[in-house]
Amino acid sequence: MSDGTLPAVLITAFAERPLQGNGAAVVALKQPAPAAWMQAVAGLLRQSETAFLLPLSRLEPGTEPAGEWALRWFTPRCEVPLCGHATLASALALGHWGLLARGASIRLHSRSGPLLVSLSESAAGRAQLVLPSAGLEPSPLPAELDRLLGVTPVCGWRSALGYWVALLPPEFDLAGLDGHSLAQELRGEVRQGLVLMQALAASGHSPTVQGFPADYQLRFLAPGLGISEDPVTGSAHALVAPWWCDQLRRERVVGWQPSPQGGGMVCERLSSGMIRLLGSGQLLWDGRLRAGFEAGEAEDWSCCLPGPG
């Protein structure tokens, strides 16, 4: 039996100020943990996602522990293949633990492949990560959305992530939406992830992220994943940022999420087709997790091993 004492932090990611952004717990493992144990921990911590980091050397002998890490994410209900805010939080946690220096970059290996993260050299609490963008496929939206929203979306899409995306007219009060109530009314596949987005008027009154005014805003509902509303969603911004880049004819756009907690990020489209997200985070608490598991219970973590080449 392990002693059950593991470093753990809670970081609010994509937060421009304290008590803003999206909370993510980050736990540093000493050995591969079983999925059932990680799911139980995530269920008790009740954050949108809890991230579990494991030195890659525990999976691939000869890999330096400080060099690369395996990373998995769990909502209170299930494991997910990609999570932006908990990846940002993981980078900041590694910096807090002295395992990632300012200005340095490392790869975190996940079910979605290797994700490059780095800490800002000039500003504490800032980091960036590179996420894949699944691409949007035009698609009719479920007819129920017109009734639930009280407005007809301008257009809609689906994505390989399983998210539905709806572009709403500018007059819709997205910031005033009761996301929790709407999430409870969703039915069918749309419960796995619904992005509601709209342009922000260039009026000078837009929220700012790292000093840049936001170009668009979105809300993200995912009751099928155990999250009525995710406060700030990196994977959703990585998904829609290329569309906004095309609309605005720029390679950098700023997204805002007007959930009750609020937060945002700067999104840069890279030549590879990946999206770089720049954001800030706030350390909320720092402690030790006391919950053991039998070493023999650990499942196969090969999903996080680097591929050939």
Side-chain angles (χ1 to χ4, degrees):
M1 186 96 171
S2 72
D3 65 7
T5 302
L6 300 169
V9 295
L10 178 60
I11 290 174
T12 53
F14 297 122
E16 289 297 292
R17 60 179 185 271
L19 303 182
Q20 198 183 57
N22 197 353
V26 184
V27 179
L29 299 172
K30 301 174 183 177
Q31 59 191 28
W37 179 87
M38 292 186 286
Q39 187 63 75
V41 171
L44 287 171
L45 294 177
R46 300 193 64 79
Q47 300 303 307
S48 296
E49 271 86 9
T50 296
F52 296 89
L53 286 165
L54 176 71
L56 200 63
S57 61
R58 293 290 185 176
L59 303 178
E60 278 199 329
T63 303
E64 290 297 323
E68 296 187 0
W69 297 76
L71 171 63
R72 292 172 71 171
W73 311 275
F74 288 76
T75 77
R77 183 178 295 178
C78 63
E79 184 171 9
V80 292
L82 185 64
C83 177
H85 87 278
T87 303
L88 185 86
S90 296
L92 294 171
L94 289 171
H96 174 70
W97 291 324
L99 299 173
L100 180 61
R102 280 198 189 185
S105 301
I106 58 170
R107 286 187 297 272
L108 305 178
H109 295 271
S110 74
R111 290 183 180 273
S112 292
L115 305 175
L116 187 68
V117 300
S118 60
L119 297 182
S120 170
E121 187 171 11
S122 58
R126 289 188 178 184
Q128 56 183 270
L129 64 149
V130 178
L131 293 184
S133 184
L136 296 175
E137 300 175 2
S139 174
L141 294 165
E144 67 173 356
L145 282 183
D146 288 24
R147 175 182 62 82
L148 294 174
L149 294 169
V151 67
T152 300
V154 177
C155 51
W157 301 265
R158 293 197 68 179
S159 77
L161 278 177
Y163 299 169
W164 295 73
V165 180
L167 178 66
L168 301 179
E171 65 270 15
F172 183 81
D173 183 11
L174 187 59
L177 177 72
D178 184 344
H180 178 75
S181 295
L182 176 59
Q184 303 314 304
E185 295 292 326
L186 296 178
R187 298 291 183 269
E189 294 179 352
V190 74
R191 288 175 55 83
Q192 293 300 110
L194 173 63
V195 179
L196 302 171
M197 66 178 186
Q198 67 184 171
L200 280 169
S203 60
H205 301 298
S206 295
T208 59
V209 179
Q210 298 189 5
F212 299 101
D215 300 299
Y216 69 90
Q217 60 182 0
L218 65 81
R219 304 281 291 269
F220 181 75
L221 313 177
L225 300 178
I227 308 167
S228 289
E229 178 169 9
D230 197 42
V232 193
T233 316
S235 60
H237 286 272
L239 176 65
V240 305
W243 188 86
W244 289 105
C245 286
D246 289 340
Q247 298 303 301
L248 299 173
R249 300 181 181 179
R250 303 203 308 260
E251 297 306 300
R252 170 186 280 205
V253 293
V254 180
W256 183 255
Q257 209 151 328
S259 65
Q261 289 166 231
M265 63 204 74
V266 179
C267 312
E268 297 179 347
R269 180 164 55 180
L270 305 178
S271 59
S272 63
M274 304 279 276
I275 302 296
R276 179 186 291 122
L277 303 179
L278 297 88
S280 303
Q282 304 279 338
L283 178 67
L284 193 59
W285 57 250
D286 175 15
R288 308 286 297 184
L289 178 67
R290 300 179 182 276
F293 59 87
E294 296 290 341
E297 296 175 355
E299 68 167 28
D300 183 9
W301 273 59
S302 61
C303 60
C304 296
L305 285 173

